Amino acid sequence: MEANPFLDPLRFERRVPPCAIVIFGANGDLTKRKLIPALYRLAYERRMPSGYVIFGNSRTAMSDAEYRQKMKAAVQEFLEDSPFDAALWEQFEQSLFYLPGDIKNPEYYSVLAARLKEQDERTGGNVLFYLSTQPSHYEPIVGGLGQAGLSRGAGWRRVVIEKPFGHDLASAHALNQKLQAVFPESSIYRIDHYLGKETVQNVLAVRFANGIFEPLWNRRYINNVQITAAESIGVEGRGGYYQESGALRDMIQNHLLQVMATIAMEPSAVYEPNAVRDERAKLLRSVRILKEEEVAGLAVAGQYGSGRIGGREMPGFRQEEGVDPKAQTDTYAAVTFFVDNWRWAGVPFYVRTGKRMPKRVTDIAIQFNAAPLPLFERDNTAGNHHLARPNLLIIRIQPEEGISLRFLSKNPGEGMKLRPVSMDFNYGSSFGVRTPTAYETLLQDALAGDATLYTRQDMVEASWAVVQPILDYWASQRFLFPNYEAGTWGPKASDDMLATRGHRWRIP
Amino acid sequence: MAAVVSPEGILKELSALWVSLGKQEDSGVLRACAMTLIMATGEEEDAAEAGLTLAELIHEHPSRAIVLRVVTSAEPVLESRVLAQCWMPFGKRQQICCEQIEITASPATLPGVQRILGALVAPDLPVMLVCRSPRLFGLPKFQKLLAMANKVVADSHGSPEPWGVMQRVADMRANGRDVADLAWTRLTPLRQEIGAAFDEPGAIARLPLISRAVIAHPPGPMPPEALYLTAWLHHSLGRELPVSFQPEAGSDPITRVDLIGEQVLFSFRPPFSRAGCELLREELSISGRDSVYDSVLAGALALA
C-alpha cells in the first residue's frame, strides 16, 4: 500500500482510529478507578477518535442506564487532577454500553459479535478487547473470542491483558501459548502500568537525550543501584488475593524488573516499539539467574507485624481480613540482582518493595563511586567520612516526580568542611501542565497500535525466569514471620544483605 | 524623558516579589521557569491581549516572560515593572508562579533594551521571541533583539507585505536561525484533516486521479496561508497541481480546499479555529529543524 504523503509527524497529533473497546470485568475496581476515568479524560482532551464505542461486560445484570450512572459516579470520584465536565459526560456516555453475560458461555460471544458488527460502520471494524478480570478468566475469554471469530475482522483486533501474566514461569509460558493460539503476538498488549508513568518514560529521555549521563552509566563509575517501591498501606481488603501472590510476584517480577531494565538497558538504534522492547528483553535475559544456594544471601522475604503509624495501631498482615493467621506470604521482598554484561558486571542492583512501610514512595537511586582520595577529610586514614556520602542521582517516580543529584560542597566559612547538597529538578516547576495518568498513556498507545510501553512474551518469561529460583527457594522455607513492624523500612535481614557488600539502604 | 531602567533593579524587584509571594502563601509557591519568553508588541497590537496570551501559555511553557512594548514616540521612552503570574493546578495545594517583566520602549531606546534583555534572560535556558508585528520584525533596530533568541516566531498574516515577511523568515532560516511563521502554523488543523482523509487505503488509491485544486479564502488580498497551502500540496504530492483561488466568506484565512479529479472530489474545511496562544503553543513545542516547512517555504516564495 502506498504511504500517505500528507503526513507531518512533527506537527500532527497522533490519531487514534475509530474503534470499539470491549472491557471484560467492567464492573470491577480497575475499570472504575482507572479505565473509565482514563477513557473519559482522553475524550476530555479530544484524543478519542471521532467514532468510538465502549462495551462493558460482567455477570451482574444491569441496564445501560444503570451502568452509565455507576461509571459516572466512578469518574467523579476517581478522576485525577482534573475537573468533571457534566456536559462532556453526557456526550461520552452515549458511546458507553453494558453487555452482561457469562464469559464461559459461547453464546455470549455470538451476541457480542453481533453488537460489534452493528457498529462496524462507526468503528471500521477495529476492536480493542481489554481483559480487566481475574487472571483465571483470561483463558475462557480469549478462547471464546477465538471461537466466535472475534480475533479477526474487518479492522484490527487487539487484546490488552493485565498482570499477573501467570504465577510462575511455567504458567506464564502456558498463558502465552493460549493467547498466541488466538491472537498474534503483535496484537497482544500486556500492560505494566509502571511503564506508562511519565517519569519511567523520562528515564529513557534522561539517559539517551543527554550527553552527560551515558558516559558514566556503567560499572566504572556506578557503585550500586537501589530501586525502592514502598507503600504505606497494607493489603486494604485484598488479603485473600495478596496472600497467594506476595511482594515478589506482585511488584518485583513485573513492575520493578521493567523499571530496572529501563535503567540498565542499552540504547536502541531507533525509538520504535520492537527496537526498544528488544533492548529491554536483552537486559532481562542478562540478569543473573540465582542458584538455589545463593538465594538466602541475595534475597530477603519479610512480612509486617502490627505496629503504630502516626499514633494509630496497625494490624499485622496475619491479622488482616481474609488472611490465613499462619500465612507465609512475603509482604516485603528485597533482592540483589546482577546483570551479567560488560556494562554492568559486578554492580549490584538492589530492588525492594514492601507494604506498611513509613511512606509511599517509588524511586531509583544511582550511587556513584566515591572520589579516589579523601582529600578534604581531616583524618584521611580512617573513617573515610565522605565515602558515606557518595554522589547520588535520584530519579523520583512517585509521589513528587523529579530528579536530584547529590554532591558534596564546601560549607560556607572557614576551613574545608564539606556537606552534601542536592540539585533538584522538579517536574512541577518545569512543566506546569497536568501529567497524564499511566492508563491514559497506555490506553491511547494501544488504540494507536504503539506497543513500546507494553511487555512482550519474551520479556515476561525472562522476568519470571529471574524470580523463579527465589520463589522456589522461599516455598521450601518456613519463615519466622512477622519480621518487621508496620511503619518501618523492612526486616533487618534486608539491611544485612547490603551490609555484606559495605552498602546500606538509603532512606527515600 | 526616559526613566532609568537597570537590569539589576529589575532583578532586585523580582527577588522582592518572590519573598513577598512566599510570605503570602502558607505552603509557599513553586517558581517555574523553563525558558525566557519575550513577547514583543507594536503599538498596533493590544498589550493586554499579549498579557492574556502569556498567561495561557505559561501553564504549558513556564517561563520568565518579558512583554516588550515598542511605542512610536518622539520622546525616548523606557519603563519597566515586574509582576507574577500564578495559578493553582487542579487538585494541588501549591500555586505555581512565573515571573513577568513588562518593558515599554521607543525606537530610540531599543538599543539599550537589547542590553537590558541580555541581562534579564534566564541563564542557560532557551530564549523564545514572539514578534507578530511586521513593523517590528522589519525594524533595523530590532534585529539585534531577534538575534538574541533561540527561536523567533513571526506572523506574515495581516502584514501589508506578507511575502516580505516570508522572505525574511526564509533568509534567517537560511542562516541557520530557527524562525517560524504563524501563517504556516495556522494551517495545521486543516492539513491534519487532509492527512487523516488519506489514511484510508481507498482514498490513497484515488490520489493519482487528482488533477487540480481549489483554495477558497475570504475576499480581499490573497493571504500567505493560501500560498503555503499550495506549496504544501505540491510538496506532498511530488508534482505541480494547478490551483485556483476563490473568494468565499469565512473567518479562517482558508475557508475550503477542494482536491478535484475525474470522478474524484475531496473537500475540506478547517475543523476549528485556533486562538493565538494555541498557535504559539504549537511553535514553542517544536525546536530544531522542520524539513517540511523548509520545503514549503521555498515553494511558497517561488509561487509568490
Side-chain angles (χ1 to χ4, degrees):
Chain A
M1 191 180 76
E2 206 181 328
N4 183 345
F6 293 110
L7 299 185
D8 186 353
L10 188 66
R11 289 175 185 266
F12 290 2
E13 283 178 10
R14 188 171 57 166
R15 282 192 301 279
V16 172
C19 61
I21 301 166
V22 180
I23 302 174
F24 292 95
N27 198 24
D29 233 28
L30 181 73
T31 304
K32 284 188 272 193
R33 286 173 181 267
K34 301 290 181 189
L35 301 185
I36 296 291
L39 289 169
Y40 167 82
R41 180 68 205 189
L42 289 175
Y44 182 89
E45 296 201 343
R46 296 195 180 90
R47 291 180 192 277
M48 288 296 276
S50 50
Y52 70 93
V53 59
I54 303 166
F55 289 108
N57 159 271
S58 82
R59 270 195 305 194
T60 315
M62 239 187 302
S63 66
D64 285 341
E66 287 167 323
Y67 184 64
R68 288 169 180 171
Q69 194 52 41
K70 205 166 186 175
M71 291 305 111
K72 181 181 179 183
V75 170
Q76 285 173 316
E77 184 175 355
F78 298 116
L79 193 60
E80 289 176 35
D81 300 336
S82 182
F84 178 78
D85 180 335
L88 177 72
W89 175 263
E90 273 182 33
Q91 257 181 302
F92 180 81
E93 71 171 13
Q94 296 306 311
S95 300
L96 184 61
F97 300 94
Y98 186 66
L99 203 56
D102 179 0
I103 50 153
K104 291 181 181 158
N105 181 357
E107 282 174 23
Y108 176 75
Y109 298 94
S110 306
V111 175
L112 176 62
R115 291 294 297 270
L116 287 171
K117 187 88 187 150
E118 283 169 19
Q119 299 289 339
D120 266 4
E121 202 170 310
R122 187 175 177 187
T123 63
N126 300 321
V127 188
L128 180 83
F129 298 104
Y130 199 114
L131 275 54
S132 171
T133 63
Q134 45 179 294
S136 61
H137 291 166
Y138 293 167
E139 273 185 48
I141 293 172
V142 170
L145 293 173
Q147 278 174 8
L150 282 167
S151 58
R152 290 183 185 82
W156 50 255
R157 301 291 157 110
R158 296 177 191 136
V159 61
V160 179
I161 65 167
E162 278 283 340
K163 66 148 197 168
F165 315 118
H167 56 89
D168 56 16
L169 178 57
S171 59
H173 185 67
L175 175 63
N176 281 328
Q177 286 189 320
K178 291 274 191 317
L179 291 168
Q180 287 173 353
V182 178
F183 289 95
E185 175 63 26
S186 60
S187 299
I188 302 170
Y189 288 65
R190 296 171 192 82
I191 198 164
D192 186 322
H193 75 270
Y194 259 62
L195 291 182
K197 288 176 184 286
E198 283 288 323
T199 31
V200 175
Q201 295 176 61
N202 194 37
V203 170
L204 294 183
V206 167
R207 285 190 60 196
F208 302 135
N210 297 294
I212 58 166
F213 298 115
E214 209 45 30
L216 307 178
W217 215 262
N218 56 55
R219 62 191 301 278
R220 284 187 69 192
Y221 300 102
I222 291 179
N223 187 277
N224 68 83
V225 177
Q226 298 186 13
I227 300 175
T228 300
E231 290 180 74
S232 56
I233 57 171
V235 289
E236 305 294 298
R238 290 167 65 234
Y241 157 77
Y242 195 83
Q243 74 173 355
E244 299 304 320
S245 64
L248 185 63
R249 277 193 178 92
D250 194 45
M251 289 293 291
I252 294 182
Q253 180 274 327
N254 38 67
H255 304 319
L256 300 188
L257 276 172
Q258 291 299 334
V259 169
M260 179 176 146
T262 308
I263 284 289
M265 66 188 250
E266 296 298 318
S268 57
V270 286
Y271 191 69
E272 284 174 1
N274 270 333
V276 175
R277 299 197 299 177
D278 283 346
E279 293 304 334
R280 278 207 180 95
K282 201 167 82 185
L283 189 283
L284 288 167
R285 285 196 299 272
S286 306
V287 179
R288 188 187 304 167
I289 310 281
L290 301 184
K291 296 189 183 82
E292 186 184 346
E293 60 272 22
E294 291 175 318
V295 174
L298 295 173
V300 172
Q303 187 187 91
Y304 63 87
S306 58
R308 288 186 77 80
I309 301 178
R312 279 179 62 205
E313 190 65 38
M314 294 295 173
F317 177 67
R318 289 173 174 178
Q319 288 81 54
E320 300 271 13
E321 193 188 329
V323 174
D324 177 355
K326 292 179 182 167
Q328 285 284 305
T329 311
D330 50 308
T331 63
Y332 174 96
V335 184
T336 306
F337 290 114
F338 290 97
V339 179
D340 287 339
N341 63 18
W342 278 51
R343 186 192 279 258
W344 295 114
V347 176
F349 284 75
Y350 301 117
V351 178
R352 66 175 162 171
T353 181
K355 290 195 173 289
R356 284 267 190 259
M357 299 185 82
K359 64 178 174 183
R360 172 178 168 259
V361 61
T362 301
D363 69 14
I364 303 152
I366 319 283
Q367 185 170 316
F368 290 87
N369 287 327
L373 281 175
L375 189 64
F376 303 110
E377 297 298 308
R378 196 170 289 267
D379 173 4
N380 65 8
T381 57
N384 284 336
H385 176 70
H386 78 293
L387 288 179
R389 303 276 187 214
N391 295 132
L392 278 178
L393 181 72
I394 295 156
I395 301 170
R396 297 188 305 274
I397 293 173
Q398 58 187 21
E400 290 293 326
E401 300 97 331
I403 297 176
S404 313
L405 178 66
R406 188 179 77 179
F407 57 98
L408 290 170
S409 175
K410 180 185 171 301
N411 250 348
E414 201 185 339
M416 236 342 168
K417 291 178 182 164
L418 308 184
R419 86 174 160 89
V421 291
S422 178
M423 204 156 66
D424 281 324
F425 152 71
N426 182 314
Y427 248 68
S429 64
S430 287
F431 305 101
V433 287
R434 172 187 178 276
T435 306
T437 65
Y439 276 92
E440 287 166 39
T441 303
L442 292 168
L443 272 165
Q444 201 189 0
D445 282 0
L447 294 172
D450 181 349
T452 311
L453 301 176
Y454 284 84
T455 54
R456 216 169 45 187
Q457 175 203 1
D458 54 344
M459 297 157 76
V460 170
E461 292 187 14
S463 57
W464 273 117
V466 167
V467 300
Q468 192 62 51
I470 306 170
L471 290 169
D472 292 343
Y473 179 78
W474 285 0
S476 70
Q477 300 297 302
R478 188 104 201 125
F479 292 108
L480 291 173
F481 284 159
N483 60 354
Y484 72 99
E485 271 182 45
T488 66
W489 284 107
K492 181 177 174 298
S494 181
D495 299 335
D496 296 343
M497 178 176 81
L498 269 67
T500 57
R501 281 179 191 76
H503 297 146
R504 64 179 177 209
W505 289 112
R506 49 179 283 278
I507 296 177
Chain B
M1 184 70 188
V4 175
V5 172
S6 76
E8 288 81 6
I10 293 174
L11 291 170
K12 271 185 190 167
E13 279 185 70
L14 283 175
S15 293
L17 181 73
W18 285 112
V19 170
S20 97
L21 278 170
K23 282 178 183 164
Q24 284 167 25
E25 295 290 325
D26 285 345
S27 53
V29 293
L30 195 59
R31 178 181 185 175
C33 185
M35 66 175 74
T36 300
L37 177 56
I38 304 172
M39 187 83 93
T41 64
E43 245 178 348
E44 67 275 27
E45 292 172 272
D46 185 351
E49 194 188 316
L52 287 175
T53 302
L54 269 179
E56 283 286 324
L57 272 180
I58 57 173
H59 291 212
E60 201 164 326
H61 299 283
S63 53
R64 173 174 283 180
I66 302 174
V67 180
L68 172 61
R69 185 167 155 74
V70 182
V71 295
T72 44
S73 162
E75 292 289 311
V77 178
L78 188 56
E79 293 162 7
S80 74
R81 70 172 186 135
V82 301
L83 60 145
Q85 294 265 19
C86 298
W87 72 101
M88 182 79 84
F90 186 86
K92 304 282 180 195
R93 282 187 220 150
Q94 195 177 35
Q95 281 204 88
I96 299 181
C97 294
C98 290
E99 51 205 15
Q100 184 171 321
I101 302 162
E102 291 182 359
I103 297 175
T104 306
S106 57
T109 56
L110 268 181
V113 168
Q114 185 223 334
R115 285 190 287 275
I116 294 170
L117 291 185
L120 290 181
V121 294
D124 308 316
L125 292 173
V127 178
M128 307 289 190
L129 194 153
V130 179
C131 177
R132 297 179 67 175
S133 156
R135 182 180 66 82
L136 278 184
F137 190 59
L139 202 65
K141 281 182 178 170
F142 202 68
Q143 301 316 302
K144 281 190 175 170
L145 277 175
L146 295 177
M148 282 174 57
N150 298 87
K151 178 163 186 168
V152 173
V153 181
D155 192 355
S156 59
H157 184 89
S159 165
E161 287 179 20
W163 331 126
V165 175
M166 287 162 71
Q167 187 60 58
R168 275 196 52 70
V169 170
D171 292 345
M172 290 171 78
R173 287 181 77 88
N175 286 325
R177 304 294 315 285
D178 189 356
V179 188
D181 181 357
L182 293 181
W184 169 244
T185 322
R186 228 170 252 117
L187 291 174
T188 302
L190 178 61
R191 292 195 303 123
Q192 187 156 350
E193 196 81 351
I194 296 171
F198 290 95
D199 273 347
E200 298 272 333
I204 284 275
R206 285 184 288 165
L207 211 50
L209 301 177
I210 295 170
S211 55
R212 66 190 180 90
V214 173
I215 295 178
H217 62 81
M222 183 191 291
E225 286 85 349
L227 279 190
Y228 274 136
L229 194 58
T230 306
W232 179 64
L233 291 173
H234 293 173
H235 164 83
S236 302
L237 292 169
R239 61 188 161 104
E240 299 246 325
L241 192 68
V243 176
S244 54
F245 300 94
Q246 281 181 2
E248 183 179 84
S251 54
D252 288 296
I254 303 294
T255 53
R256 179 174 44 89
V257 180
D258 292 338
L259 301 178
I260 304 162
E262 200 176 330
Q263 295 183 325
V264 173
L265 171 63
F266 293 98
S267 190
F268 305 95
R269 289 186 183 277
F272 49 85
S273 306
R274 295 196 297 176
C277 68
E278 287 168 302
L279 299 174
L280 289 173
R281 196 173 283 146
E282 179 179 322
E283 282 308 330
L284 295 183
S285 303
I286 295 171
S287 62
R289 197 170 149 69
D290 180 348
S291 57
V292 174
Y293 179 54
D294 280 332
S295 300
V296 170
L297 178 58
L301 285 168
L303 290 168

